[in-house]
Amino acid sequence: MNPNPSLPHPGCLDEASGRDALLIGSARDLQAYDVATNADLFRRDVPDGVGALLVGSLGGHPPLALIGGNLSITGLNSAGREFFWTVSNEFVSALALCDADGDGESELLAGSHSHDIHVFKGEALVGEFKEADRISALCAVTKGAFGYALANGTVGVYVDGSRAWRIKSKSSAHAICAADLDGDGVPELLSGWGNGKVGKGRSRGWNLVTQSSVGGSDDSSTHSAPPRTCSWRCGTTRRAR
């Protein structure tokens, strides 16, 4: 195993086996490990470093291990061979797959240290969004919508190419994901914060209306205090002010 592991990420690279591999990235290399058989699938030198990891399919191709590094994004297949490569303008800090333009195919979203969110269709850059700080996390929410988190504590959502909603905390935002927690067919946006608080929120139209939390202190600078784990309802949206 890598003596200095970072950025562990699970994902299925081999559709025939149906098993998830554990990807372990570092400043120097990427290792794919089969937990079920206790064996390495491959180890690959990554000269540009590993700033973000993602497993997914682009353009209907087999699943790839997508690696965001310094000025580039690389995709490796289940054998560790390079299948995809494109240039990035800065060190890549977050990756996600999302149908950002609503055409039925997933685009690759890449967030960077230079505060940009880039949208790639294949290897071509087709969209760009400028934010106020380093992009710490990205996730698909619904068709045409994706969430983002920034190092300065901002969490927000873009819908159809425009920012629809955002909030800001004094605590840094580390992770986000979307899930239908209450089973009503509408996903909620979950966020993880660096202040150690744990809680749950619910909203309508991206306005947070209820929240419960355990531990930590009230450190929000906008809206109610966001806990370490918080959710907002993905209903009808309003444009950010």
Side-chain angles (χ1 to χ4, degrees), residues 49-231:
V50 182
L53 280 174
L54 178 68
V55 175
S57 299
L58 291 172
H61 294 296
L64 299 175
L66 295 163
I67 308 160
N70 187 32
L71 304 178
S72 70
I73 303 170
T74 304
L76 306 179
N77 65 14
S78 58
R81 298 187 181 92
E82 185 175 305
F83 193 87
F84 171 87
W85 186 90
T86 192
V87 68
S88 176
N89 71 328
E90 243 284 2
F91 191 82
V92 177
S93 52
L95 292 171
L97 289 171
C98 174
D99 182 8
D101 57 8
D103 67 351
E105 293 186 359
S106 291
E107 287 76 49
L108 177 63
L109 309 180
S112 73
H113 282 195
S114 60
H115 312 172
D116 297 318
I117 301 171
H118 287 163
V119 183
F120 294 93
K121 186 176 287 290
E123 297 178 359
L125 178 65
V126 296
E128 182 176 0
F129 305 92
K130 188 71 176 179
E131 282 298 331
D133 206 341
R134 175 177 59 84
I135 315 301
S136 56
L138 294 165
C139 76
V141 178
T142 60
K143 186 175 183 179
F146 66 88
Y148 68 94
L150 307 182
N152 67 4
T154 298
V155 173
V157 174
Y158 280 91
V159 178
D160 296 330
S162 298
R163 186 189 293 117
W165 169 88
R166 65 182 171 185
I167 62 100
K168 188 175 186 298
S169 168
K170 293 178 182 178
S171 230
S172 58
H174 289 272
I176 55 172
C177 69
D180 181 12
L181 295 178
D182 53 12
D184 65 352
V186 180
E188 286 75 49
L189 181 67
L190 311 176
S191 63
W193 306 83
N195 61 359
K197 297 183 72 177
V198 179
K200 178 182 177 182
R202 187 172 186 271
S203 67
R204 293 182 177 86
W206 297 115
N207 292 313
L208 187 65
V209 293
T210 64
Q211 177 178 280
S212 61
S213 62
V214 179
S217 58
D218 188 339
D219 67 347
S220 176
S221 58
T222 308
H223 296 263
S224 300
R228 185 184 176 206
T229 303
C230 191
S231 68

